Amino acid sequence: MTDDTADRWRGWRAAAEDALYGPQGFYRRPEGPAGHFRTSVHASALFAGAVARLLCRVDEALDRPAALDLVDLGAGRGELVTGVLDALPAGVAARVRAYGVEIADRPEGLDSRVEWRADSPKGITGLLFANEWLDNVPVEVAEVDSTGLPRLVLVREDGTERLGEPVAGADAEWLARWWPLAPEEGLRAEIGLPRDTAWATAAATVDRGLAVAVDYAHTLDTRPPFGTLTGFREGRETVPVPDGSCDITAHVALDACATAATSAGALPGARLLRQRAALRALDVTGVRPPLTLASTDPAGYVRALAGAGEAAELTAPGGLGDFGWLVQSVGIPDPLDER
């Protein structure tokens, strides 16, 4: 941020775009996202292992192509794509073309098998996986004024807000369809249209295979009355301030994203499920090992107990287990459909 922008009033979308991705933005900082918040990837290697099993199922559904794409969209510092490569069977790993998609520079020491790029490759045959990417696609924020009219929320670099013009055009149409606000002063919503567009564009890069978005999410019947815009700094939730010092995030209307991709013709259909259901379908259950193992294999029991604890965290109600998974298949059966 610079002095000439400090007192400027802007919508949250433009302010967050600069604060997160500008030259001095949060996502360009050397410590990376892991220095400020913990995702499923950081919580346990079990998550990368589950994504590796998902990629193997996609591989089987594609009849084991000579080149199998793995695209980590919003790759952070490459933790997920590296973990998946390490967890794959050798025969599958040998055919994988791995991509880390991120605006930050390539991390030092990243596995040489990973191609690092600023945008997703086209013509993907395999798996595109976006873990906590959509929540950082900046959006406008709307708030209902004293007359019952939704207006855009404007913000300065120090986080001070005021109301601006009435919501109009495509933003108003999106609100009416996906997050209708009652005429009650102070009610707020995040206008998810840019995320719909971002996901439809990303999903369209898959020619055959699977596109998955994992994120904090809500659907039409569970929209929070005052929105979800927040910040994270050094492991703590904080007031969102668009000065580059903290992450700025908001939960994702995944149902709207799914419809946008389907309507755009990117993919034929979509399914929403909770992370706990998705991971259980990928054999991450959190079941404690039998106590008898403690006497026959004490070290194995300790390892299994630790793994059960990590799996329980990944699938916990009220925590990571409540994350939404948007799963869209292209030309293959849904690999998470257990019917």
Side-chain angles (χ1 to χ4, degrees):
M1 303 299 110
T2 60
D3 290 341
D4 63 340
T5 64
D7 294 326
R8 190 196 326 174
W9 292 99
R10 297 186 289 173
W12 265 106
R13 184 182 180 188
E17 185 75 34
D18 281 351
L20 294 176
Y21 306 116
Q24 306 301 317
F26 175 83
Y27 276 95
R28 297 188 186 274
R29 295 173 60 155
E31 71 272 19
H36 296 269
F37 54 85
R38 191 165 179 257
T39 72
S40 296
V41 179
H42 307 121
S44 173
L46 293 175
F47 189 80
V51 177
R53 287 190 290 278
L54 179 59
L55 180 59
C56 288
R57 293 186 187 182
V58 171
D59 183 42
E60 291 179 9
L62 291 170
D63 198 22
R64 298 176 179 82
L68 178 66
D69 295 319
L70 169 62
V71 180
D72 182 4
L73 185 56
R77 294 301 180 267
E79 298 95 336
L80 178 60
V81 65
T82 301
V84 173
L85 287 173
D86 289 344
L88 287 171
V92 177
R95 293 184 285 109
V96 167
R97 297 184 299 198
Y99 302 90
V101 181
E102 184 59 75
I103 58 98
D105 293 338
R106 182 185 181 92
E108 292 185 10
L110 182 67
D111 192 311
S112 61
R113 293 174 292 176
V114 179
E115 180 180 332
W116 198 256
R117 50 189 295 159
D119 57 354
S120 181
K122 306 264 190 315
I124 294 167
T125 299
L127 174 63
L128 179 143
F129 200 89
N131 185 60
E132 295 195 43
W133 172 64
L134 283 170
D135 68 289
N136 288 126
V137 173
V139 294
E140 298 290 6
V141 178
E143 182 175 322
V144 178
D145 68 12
S146 60
T147 71
L149 185 67
R151 292 181 177 272
L152 293 177
V153 177
L154 306 182
V155 63
R156 293 194 311 193
E157 186 181 317
D158 65 0
T160 303
E161 293 182 338
R162 77 178 188 194
L163 297 187
E165 295 297 314
V167 179
D171 285 347
E173 293 173 4
W174 190 94
L175 271 186
R177 179 177 183 185
W178 292 110
W179 200 329
L181 291 169
E184 180 181 333
E185 185 177 7
L187 295 183
R188 286 170 67 118
E190 292 96 34
I191 303 173
L193 186 58
R195 293 169 173 179
D196 295 358
T197 302
W199 181 246
T201 301
T205 63
V206 179
D207 276 0
R208 292 184 66 226
L210 191 70
V212 179
V214 180
D215 236 308
Y216 305 94
H218 45 60
T219 53
L220 187 58
D221 58 346
T222 61
R223 305 280 190 239
F226 301 105
T228 61
L229 187 71
T230 191
F232 284 92
R233 182 188 295 115
E234 297 176 356
R236 296 175 181 270
E237 189 169 8
T238 185
V239 175
V241 178
D243 61 359
S245 69
C246 67
D247 184 31
I248 297 172
T249 179
H251 294 200
V252 182
L254 277 182
D255 48 350
C257 293
T259 298
T262 304
S263 299
L267 296 172
R271 189 159 69 102
L272 297 177
L273 63 163
R274 296 288 189 183
Q275 175 156 295
R276 72 177 67 90
L279 291 184
R280 284 171 182 163
L282 294 166
D283 304 323
V284 178
T285 63
V287 175
R288 293 170 63 92
L291 191 57
T292 53
L293 186 64
S295 56
T296 59
D297 183 4
Y301 177 77
V302 171
R303 289 193 300 272
L305 193 62
E310 292 175 6
E313 180 182 2
L314 290 173
T315 58
L320 295 173
D322 284 345
F323 271 47
W325 281 46
L326 166 53
V327 180
Q328 299 194 267
S329 299
V330 184
I332 64 170
D334 181 350
L336 290 174
D337 190 345
E338 295 185 302
R339 290 178 297 175

